């Protein structure tokens, strides 16, 4: 009897039965829920960010350390005048207050990082604090993505990996560009994009005043989001301030609501008043604006954005070389142009007409005008707004003044 049980065929058959039983048990087990999967993805990417704490960091690490020091050590009246470091404060006031709040936690890690004169200070405790501050601020992004997932139409027939909410979570929370720019290079873009995505989600949820409030806060945290302000302005005026449409979806002027316009204007103006009010009272608004819009930095950033002006610069260089070889141009009379100035660098093109900030503004507005006209005449709801927002971001990236290559994130993340 024992010999029969030990026969290879009997053993194999016995294992097949056992395997089949286990397989049925696994198949019958419930799949992980969407909520548990979302938080698992968020937790895993947070662990990955922790592994990057000791990674290389760029000059922006010192930029933010200096802002911690000056907001902590100086009165508000000196924030936008302080120039001990070349990396002066050039973000809007709400971000300065954000740094001020962080500085009161930073002192428990290493007080020396809050000394303005300690330029390029990067003790292990300083690195740890600044890295952890970015990871903690990214919780805003996690919450925003969760809210965006609620706005998606889910197909119940699809498995978890094929659902839009899962795909969106991976594409945004695990965005490689954000990991590089924030957790290696060092910035707070995840936090800022979290505010943007939360604002977009509120518009999909028809909570337009809340969406406008969040975008007003965002503009006062980082003014680069002015790139997409036209999309917000036209959309809110068309879809929030006008309460009725004609049967074909076109504008019905009688549907205009003055009360809604006043409510919208009050929210926006109040946010800006709280942000800029103290500096207006001090008579420092021109100084603040000169820091926020340093047009003397030149057409292109040190890290060129691969946009229209990069091609323009290359064409100018090619024409100048060709002109010298054909003896049509005198090399000694050509301007000694440097087109890679990241801090303060103005230059003149050698052959092609030099480009002014006003010219880049005109090109940008022309590039986004069709999208703005589209959402004015045929809004298509929040989805049409989102498309317009992406086009505005892309138009600004292609034709804007002094565009950094990482500004493409403003296109990529909403495009998800």
């Amino acid at each position: 009897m024992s010999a029969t049980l030990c026969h290879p065929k009997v053993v194999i058959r016995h294992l097949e039965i056992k395997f089949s039983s286990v397989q049925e048990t696994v198949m019958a087990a419930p799949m992980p829920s969407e909520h548990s999967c979302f938080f698992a993805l968020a937790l895993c990417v947070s662990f990955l960010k922790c592994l990057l704490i000791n990674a290389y960091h760029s000059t922006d690490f010192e930029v933010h350390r200096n802002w911690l020091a000056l907001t902590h050590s100086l009165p508000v009246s000196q924030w936008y005048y302080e120039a001990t470091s070349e990396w002066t404060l050039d973000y809007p006031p709400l971000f300065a207050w954000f740094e001020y709040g962080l500085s009161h936690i930073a002192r428990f890690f290493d007080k020396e990082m809050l000394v303005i004169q300690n330029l390029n200070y990067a003790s292990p405790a300083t690195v740890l604090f600044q890295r952890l501050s970015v990871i903690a601020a990214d919780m805003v992004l996690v919450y925003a993505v969760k809210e965006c997932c609620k706005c998606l139409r889910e197909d119940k027939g699809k498995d978890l990996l094929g659902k839009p909410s899962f795909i969106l979570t991976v594409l945004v929370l695990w965005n490689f560009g954000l990991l590089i720019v924030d957790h290696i290079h060092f910035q707070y873009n995840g936090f800022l994009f979290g505010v943007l995505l939360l604002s977009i989600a509120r518009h999909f949820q028809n909570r337009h005043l809340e969406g406008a409030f969040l975008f007003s806060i965002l503009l006062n945290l980082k003014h680069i989001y002015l790139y997409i302000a036209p999309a917000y302005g036209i959309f809110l005026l068309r879809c929030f301030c006008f309460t009725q449409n004609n049967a074909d979806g076109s504008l019905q002027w009688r549907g205009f609501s003055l009360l809604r316009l006043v409510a919208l204007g009050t929210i926006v103006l109040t946010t800006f008043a709280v942000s800029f009010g103290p500096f207006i009272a001090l008579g420092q608004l021109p100084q603040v604006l000169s820091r926020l819009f340093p047009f003397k930095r030149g057409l292109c950033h040190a890290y060129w954005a691969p946009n229209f002006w990069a091609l323009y610069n290359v064409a100018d260089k090619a024409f100048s070389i060709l002109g010298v070889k054909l003896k049509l141009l005198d090399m000694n009379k050509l301007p000694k142009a440097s087109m890679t100035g990241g801090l303060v660098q103005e230059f003149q093109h050698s052959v092609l007409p030099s480009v002014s900030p006003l010219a880049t503004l005109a090109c940008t507005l022309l590039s986004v005008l069709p999208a703005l006209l589209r959402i004015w005449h045929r809004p298509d709801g929040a989805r049409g707004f989102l498309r317009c927002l992406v086009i505005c971001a892309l138009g600004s990236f292609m034709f804007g003044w002094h565009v950094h290559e990482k500004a493409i994130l403003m296109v990529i993340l909403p495009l998800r």
Side-chain angles (χ1 to χ4, degrees):
M1 184 68 178
S2 59
T4 303
L5 290 175
C6 294
H7 193 279
K9 290 184 178 180
V10 176
V11 173
I12 292 173
R13 179 58 183 164
H14 182 70
L15 291 175
E16 287 177 347
I17 294 171
K18 286 289 187 183
F19 178 77
S20 178
S21 176
V22 171
Q23 189 177 31
E24 289 174 0
T25 303
V26 171
M27 292 297 290
M31 291 292 290
S33 67
E34 293 180 29
H35 293 290
S36 61
C37 187
F38 175 86
F39 287 113
L41 287 170
L43 188 62
C44 288
V45 77
S46 297
F47 285 145
L48 176 60
K49 293 169 184 176
C50 291
L51 294 176
L52 296 173
I53 284 177
N54 287 322
Y56 158 84
H57 54 78
S58 73
T59 52
D60 272 344
F61 182 89
E62 168 60 16
V63 169
H64 289 277
R65 185 216 60 83
N66 181 57
W67 294 358
L68 286 171
L70 70 88
T71 55
H72 186 83
S73 306
L74 299 175
V76 176
S77 59
Q78 297 182 34
W79 285 2
Y80 285 94
Y81 284 95
E82 165 58 34
T84 300
S85 168
E86 60 181 343
W87 312 115
T88 53
L89 180 59
D90 59 4
Y91 273 29
L94 284 191
F95 197 90
W97 287 110
F98 171 71
E99 294 277 7
Y100 174 78
L102 288 179
S103 70
H104 287 278
I105 305 173
R107 62 192 180 95
F108 294 108
F109 284 74
D110 186 348
K111 291 183 179 179
E112 293 301 309
M113 79 172 84
L114 301 176
V115 177
I116 296 176
Q117 289 71 27
N118 284 349
L119 302 180
N120 299 309
Y121 186 81
S123 68
T126 302
V127 173
L128 178 63
F129 168 74
Q130 291 199 229
R131 292 293 198 193
L132 289 178
S133 70
V134 179
I135 295 171
D138 277 357
M139 292 302 105
V140 176
L141 178 64
V142 173
Y143 175 67
V145 172
K146 185 65 177 172
E147 289 297 300
C148 286
C149 288
K150 294 178 182 178
C151 304
L152 300 175
R153 291 191 296 269
E154 298 286 10
D155 185 352
K156 294 183 179 179
K158 288 186 177 181
D159 61 10
L160 184 62
L161 299 183
K163 289 189 175 182
S165 58
F166 176 84
I167 297 170
L168 178 65
T169 302
V170 173
L171 289 177
V172 177
L173 292 188
W174 286 78
N175 182 274
F176 197 57
L178 272 181
L179 289 174
I180 292 175
V181 174
D182 279 12
H183 302 280
I184 298 178
H185 174 83
F186 191 86
Q187 282 191 353
Y188 292 89
N189 291 288
F191 159 59
L192 297 169
F193 276 112
V195 179
L196 173 61
L197 293 177
L198 187 56
S199 172
I200 292 172
R202 294 298 181 246
H203 289 304
F204 272 85
Q205 297 162 359
N206 291 319
R207 297 158 66 176
H208 296 300
L209 288 177
E210 190 176 340
F213 174 63
L214 287 167
F215 185 66
S216 298
I217 289 176
L218 183 62
L219 287 178
N220 286 277
L221 286 169
K222 191 169 183 178
H223 52 302
I224 194 174
Y225 292 94
L226 281 169
Y227 287 171
I228 56 177
Y232 268 86
I234 298 297
F235 170 73
L236 287 169
L237 181 61
R238 177 65 176 84
C239 295
F240 180 70
C241 295
F242 284 88
T243 59
Q244 297 177 1
N245 292 323
N246 293 318
D248 61 354
S250 60
L251 180 66
Q252 185 178 120
W253 289 98
R254 289 179 298 176
F256 176 72
S257 172
L258 180 61
L259 182 62
R260 288 192 173 197
L261 180 62
V262 170
L264 188 63
T266 301
I267 286 175
V268 174
L269 292 176
T270 301
T271 306
F272 276 83
V274 170
S275 177
F276 284 89
F279 301 96
I280 295 173
L282 291 167
Q284 296 182 0
L285 184 60
Q287 174 63 19
V288 175
L289 294 179
S290 70
R291 286 283 183 88
L292 299 185
F293 301 100
F295 291 113
K296 291 185 178 181
R297 289 189 178 182
L299 176 64
C300 293
H301 194 278
Y303 299 98
W304 284 17
N307 61 7
F308 177 80
W309 304 121
L311 299 176
Y312 191 86
N313 291 341
V314 171
D316 181 74
K317 188 68 175 178
F319 286 142
S320 65
I321 293 173
L322 184 61
V324 170
K325 287 190 175 182
L326 295 176
K327 298 183 179 180
L328 299 174
L329 298 173
D330 185 353
M331 181 180 293
N332 296 321
K333 293 182 179 180
L334 293 177
K336 305 297 182 184
S338 172
M339 295 177 287
T340 58
L343 185 60
V344 177
Q345 185 71 53
E346 292 183 283
F347 67 90
Q348 299 293 318
H349 287 91
S350 301
V351 179
L352 297 176
S354 292
V355 181
S356 67
L358 189 59
T360 63
L361 176 61
C363 291
T364 301
L365 291 177
L366 286 173
S367 70
V368 304
L369 186 59
L372 296 175
L373 291 175
R374 170 69 182 180
I375 64 167
W376 176 259
H377 291 291
R378 294 290 186 274
D380 193 23
R383 190 174 183 85
F385 156 68
L386 184 56
R387 290 178 179 140
C388 182
L389 184 151
V390 170
I391 292 173
C392 285
L394 185 57
S396 300
F397 179 82
M398 293 301 296
F399 298 104
W401 177 268
H402 200 75
V403 178
H404 194 289
E405 61 181 358
K406 65 176 176 285
I408 196 63
L409 288 172
M410 200 182 301
V411 181
I412 291 173
L413 293 178
L415 187 61
R416 301 307 190 195

